[in-house]
Amino acid sequence: MTDISCRNLCKTFHQGDATIRALDDVSLDIEEGSFVCLSGPSGSGKTTLLNALGGLDTPDSGEITVGGQRLDLLSKSELAQLRLNRIGFVFQAYNLVPVLSARENVEFIMQVQGVRARERRSLAAAVLAEVGLEDMEERRPAQLSGGQQQRVAVARAIASKPALVLADEPTANLDSRSAAQLMDLFVTLNTERGVTFVISTHDPRVMGYAGRLISMRDGRIVADERQQPHAMAV
Amino acid sequence: MAFPVAAISTLAWRNLWRNHRRTLIMLLAITVGVWAMIFMASLMRGMTDQMVRNGLQTLPGEVQIHQRDYLRDPSVVNSMDAPGGALLARLQEAPVAAWAGRVRVPAVIASERGNRGVTLLGIDPVAEAALGSLPDELVAGRALDGPGDRGLVIGANLARRLETAVGKRVVIMSQDTQNNVAERGARVVGIYRARLQGSEDRYVYAGRAAVQDLLGIGERISEIAVTGHDYRNVAPWVPRIAAAAGTGLEVLPWTELDTFLGSMLVVQDGFALVFMVVVFLALSFGLVNTLVMAVFERVREIGLMQALGMRPGMILGQIMLESLYLLLLGLALGNLLALVTVKPLESGIDISSVAQGMEMVGMGTTLYPVLHTADMLMSTTVVIVLGLLASLAPAWRASRLDPVAALNKT
């Protein structure tokens, strides 16, 4: 069943006198439960596409449907609601709230969703244990390593049980070991929970995990291949 | 989905303390501002309170009853009967705290050295003492010993002008009901000092029966002065006194008897509010700057919140709550500071160095600041309402940030 559908997406940025076509007539379908990597050099349009799929950015033209909802028909608040309940984000920079502990960062989304405190707390503990941070619940982000912070970000992204996780170069700031652990975690969540992953990367090792590899250049999809996933060599 | 108050409260509170120094400086500014608002208001209240009390104690009382024409022509012709029946019954029950019937006529007092125009007051000293309208300080001689006392008690300034003293005789002259001169010699038995020098020059006290005898008016009096327990709150009981007094008499609250004093209360409320608003406007620049900086430093974080699914209204609410916490803390400290600085001063601040100027506005040599709960509430309302209004702009901007641009901010 199709989870994401894009039709003829175009997005243009202006930088001084130059016009940059970040997305140039991109059409794409992503099935539920798939593990997709968007690859390509910097400026190829991966992040713009990811932001558009998450409703963070609005394309100049074209349509995006996520979980049956047309994003261009939703208001800012409805888009926020969609992200809150359906989409988990993992960014390149760890992007945790610095004044909240690891547990509070994970609980935050559930708190906004209105999940009861007791349920929230046990879910957060379970998710943090799942990403291997059971002893670090009360640590603030500044007291965690980069890899640990990224795992907290993943825990936060999956705690609200999203159907879709959008990850923008999630391993870019991690060492090989942490990157491998993170990708193994993604694969586990994908296979065990059926969460759809769309990951932008230009790291070939990360691409190896994907069942589907979409290559982009100059805002266009230049290749769309299905492949046999394989784990990263650490 | 309900508004996640708990989540936003935690974030707002912790964000407030991310930059301790900036928050503490702003907190100090709000505290001092709130303190200044309340402290100034308490000084102004003290001034007005004293002006009104001095005005009321120098004879008017909080409510007066007299003949309908008395205010137009305050002569003996417009005297009234001593209270009886329903009026007397009404004067003897709550909320009336005290009352006194007195004769009050224009007169001339003459010594062998000079003469002055004065107001002659025929009083019952016990009733006037209960009313609180007798002079504060007797500097020589004795007080009147009853309504039949035939001596005079005059002000120290008047005694100096007339070059007279206790034990000396003076002549007091007025007009009787037939417009004939009524005069008699009387001995000065006491000299008083009043808070207002003007009162010392103006009022000459004598026993009520002695003055009634001089004027040939029998038991009649010029006015009845009445006090309750709160001069600010006489309006509710004036109609009841008026109903008992009947149509021939006029019952007026002090605000109508002395419109200058009456308007002071209203004007003072306005001044206090204007002062508070002006102080807060100065504060608001600092507050807005603090919030703008706080938002500017957290642009990425706000973008992240949006990406995670926080609606614009929640982001707005979070920044507003941050401002509210700061305002509430400043208010609590400012109110506390006002309490501990004003309370010890309520026993009086010596302003004798500017006493002459202050007397012109009806004040004595000591200023008694008055801390009113209403002023604390007014400053709290001004700070919260204007503070939140000032915070709206940065909070609104934060809630309208473009999430992608915010996330990419370096």
Side-chain angles (χ1 to χ4, degrees):
Chain A
M1 197 174 154
T2 304
D3 196 18
I4 302 173
S5 169
C6 309
R7 290 288 169 269
N8 311 110
L9 295 187
C10 292
K11 177 80 181 177
T12 308
F13 294 110
H14 298 280
Q15 213 165 46
D17 291 337
T19 299
I20 299 160
R21 290 184 77 88
L23 293 177
D24 188 2
D25 198 26
V26 172
S27 294
L28 171 72
D29 288 308
I30 295 173
E31 294 80 27
E32 258 183 38
S34 31
F35 199 109
V36 178
C37 264
L38 301 174
S39 69
S42 294
S44 59
K46 307 183 297 288
T47 300
T48 306
L49 179 58
L50 218 54
N51 287 338
L53 297 181
L56 289 176
D57 208 351
T58 315
D60 299 333
S61 62
E63 275 177 23
I64 304 171
T65 306
V66 176
Q69 285 185 283
R70 278 263 304 270
L71 300 195
D72 56 321
L73 302 179
L74 300 180
S75 67
K76 271 192 166 186
S77 285
E78 287 167 332
L79 281 171
Q81 190 80 358
L82 177 78
R83 287 195 293 272
L84 182 68
N85 294 318
R86 201 177 161 74
I87 303 173
F89 275 98
V90 180
F91 299 97
Q92 177 180 344
Y94 323 122
N95 280 324
L96 298 175
V97 182
V99 293
L100 300 180
S101 68
R103 177 183 56 75
E104 288 167 330
N105 262 289
V106 175
E107 276 192 50
F108 184 73
I109 296 291
M110 292 186 276
Q111 213 171 354
V112 176
Q113 284 176 323
V115 177
R116 286 174 186 277
R118 186 177 295 179
E119 190 184 344
R120 214 165 59 214
R121 192 167 272 252
S122 70
L123 260 171
V127 175
L128 279 169
E130 203 172 340
V131 298
L133 293 173
E134 57 269 47
D135 299 329
M136 299 182 184
E137 290 185 4
E138 298 310 320
R139 289 197 190 178
R140 295 267 176 105
Q143 298 167 305
L144 298 169
S145 70
Q148 288 166 336
Q149 286 189 50
Q150 195 63 305
R151 278 191 275 164
V152 175
V154 173
R156 180 183 61 194
I158 61 173
S160 57
K161 299 193 177 80
L164 168 67
V165 170
L166 301 173
D168 187 11
E169 308 213 19
T171 59
N173 292 329
L174 300 183
D175 57 56
S176 300
R177 188 179 186 83
S178 300
Q181 283 174 343
L182 183 72
M183 291 312 298
D184 289 342
L185 179 64
F186 281 178
V187 170
T188 307
L189 291 168
N190 174 250
T191 51
E192 291 181 3
R193 291 198 189 178
V195 177
T196 308
F197 276 83
V198 181
I199 301 169
S200 84
T201 185
H202 42 219
D203 182 342
R205 293 172 304 170
V206 172
M207 292 171 208
Y209 282 84
R212 183 177 171 193
L213 185 61
I214 297 171
S215 304
M216 297 186 70
R217 183 165 299 151
D218 300 328
R220 303 182 73 96
I221 293 177
V222 292
D224 187 349
E225 300 161 3
R226 312 243 168 205
Q227 64 176 25
Q228 190 61 42
H230 55 87
M232 187 188 291
V234 179
Chain B
M1 181 183 51
F3 202 78
V5 179
I8 284 173
S9 306
T10 310
L11 261 185
W13 179 254
R14 294 202 189 158
N15 280 330
L16 189 62
W17 298 105
R18 277 167 87 157
N19 190 327
H20 285 81
R21 187 178 294 179
R22 189 172 60 209
T23 299
L24 286 174
I25 288 172
M26 194 58 224
L27 196 56
L28 184 68
I30 296 174
T31 302
V32 172
V34 169
W35 170 81
M37 289 176 192
I38 299 171
F39 190 78
M40 280 305 292
S42 76
L43 289 184
M44 286 194 279
R45 296 284 178 206
M47 278 175 67
T48 310
D49 203 50
Q50 203 179 343
M51 284 163 67
V52 173
R53 283 185 198 283
N54 284 348
L56 297 183
Q57 279 174 3
T58 46
L59 298 170
E62 291 170 14
V63 173
Q64 276 191 8
I65 307 167
H66 20 61
Q67 281 283 7
R68 291 213 166 269
D69 289 332
Y70 178 78
L71 287 182
R72 186 181 52 77
D73 175 17
S75 71
V76 72
V77 179
N78 291 315
S79 57
M80 58 188 270
D81 286 329
L87 178 57
L88 184 60
R90 188 62 81 189
L91 290 174
Q92 287 170 338
E93 64 183 32
V96 174
W99 67 275
R102 58 171 83 115
V103 180
R104 175 183 174 128
V105 287
V108 172
I109 186 168
S111 70
E112 66 273 33
R113 303 281 183 170
N115 57 69
R116 307 285 294 182
V118 293
T119 297
L120 177 61
L121 296 158
I123 61 165
D124 172 352
V126 176
E128 295 287 348
L131 206 61
S133 60
L134 285 179
D136 297 328
E137 188 187 357
L138 203 65
V139 291
R142 62 169 176 82
L144 296 171
D145 58 16
D149 195 324
R150 301 187 75 80
L152 299 178
V153 174
I154 66 173
N157 212 41
L158 180 62
R160 188 179 56 78
R161 288 180 197 274
L162 296 176
E163 296 181 46
T164 190
V166 170
K168 293 199 170 182
R169 286 185 72 82
V170 291
V171 175
I172 190 95
M173 286 177 284
S174 188
Q175 285 193 356
D176 63 16
T177 52
Q178 306 303 312
N179 295 326
N180 295 318
V181 172
E183 64 175 11
R184 73 169 173 84
R187 200 171 294 283
V188 175
V189 297
I191 293 177
Y192 70 85
R193 193 170 295 287
R195 267 178 292 216
L196 305 181
Q197 213 175 46
S199 299
E200 289 181 17
D201 280 330
R202 187 172 170 194
Y203 296 115
V204 172
Y205 295 85
R208 187 172 65 205
V211 175
Q212 285 166 333
D213 187 36
L214 168 72
L215 301 173
I217 56 173
E219 295 285 311
R220 291 173 74 80
I221 54 176
S222 306
E223 66 186 23
I224 300 169
V226 188
T227 58
H229 295 284
D230 178 10
Y231 71 79
R232 293 170 180 270
N233 195 28
V234 294
W237 53 274
V238 168
R240 279 184 274 162
I241 302 278
T247 52
L249 298 177
E250 190 171 42
V251 179
L252 294 173
W254 65 272
T255 47
E256 289 181 44
L257 286 164
D258 190 333
T259 48
F260 170 74
L261 273 185
S263 62
M264 281 301 294
L265 287 186
V266 181
V267 169
Q268 189 210 39
D269 281 344
F271 274 154
L273 183 62
V274 168
F275 178 76
M276 287 176 183
V277 169
V278 168
V279 169
F280 190 80
L281 284 180
L283 270 183
S284 65
F285 288 101
L287 179 67
V288 170
N289 180 55
T290 300
L291 290 175
V292 166
M293 287 306 295
V295 168
F296 181 75
E297 287 168 0
R298 299 209 301 267
V299 166
R300 277 190 72 165
E301 209 171 298
I302 291 166
L304 171 72
M305 300 284 185
Q306 291 172 317
L308 294 180
M310 267 180 91
R311 287 175 291 162
M314 294 177 189
I315 291 171
L316 182 108
Q318 188 206 318
I319 307 287
M320 293 296 281
L321 204 57
E322 210 168 309
S323 167
L324 183 66
Y325 281 146
L326 191 60
L327 294 170
L328 288 176
L329 273 178
L331 275 166
L333 293 174
N335 275 282
L336 190 68
L337 190 61
L339 208 64
V340 298
T341 52
V342 176
K343 278 289 171 192
L345 294 176
E346 282 186 336
S347 54
I349 304 169
D350 183 8
I351 53 165
S352 51
S353 58
V354 289
Q356 273 195 320
M358 298 310 279
E359 190 178 329
M360 289 176 67
V361 291
M363 284 194 56
T365 55
T366 308
L367 174 59
Y368 301 91
V370 179
L371 194 61
H372 276 194
T373 314
D375 289 329
M376 297 171 96
L377 287 175
M378 183 151 72
S379 63
T380 301
T381 309
V382 165
V383 168
I384 289 183
V385 171
L386 295 186
L388 290 182
L389 279 176
S391 312
L392 260 178
W396 178 260
R397 281 187 60 186
S399 73
R400 298 288 135 183
L401 283 174
D402 172 43
V404 174
L407 280 165
N408 289 329
K409 186 169 185 303
T410 49

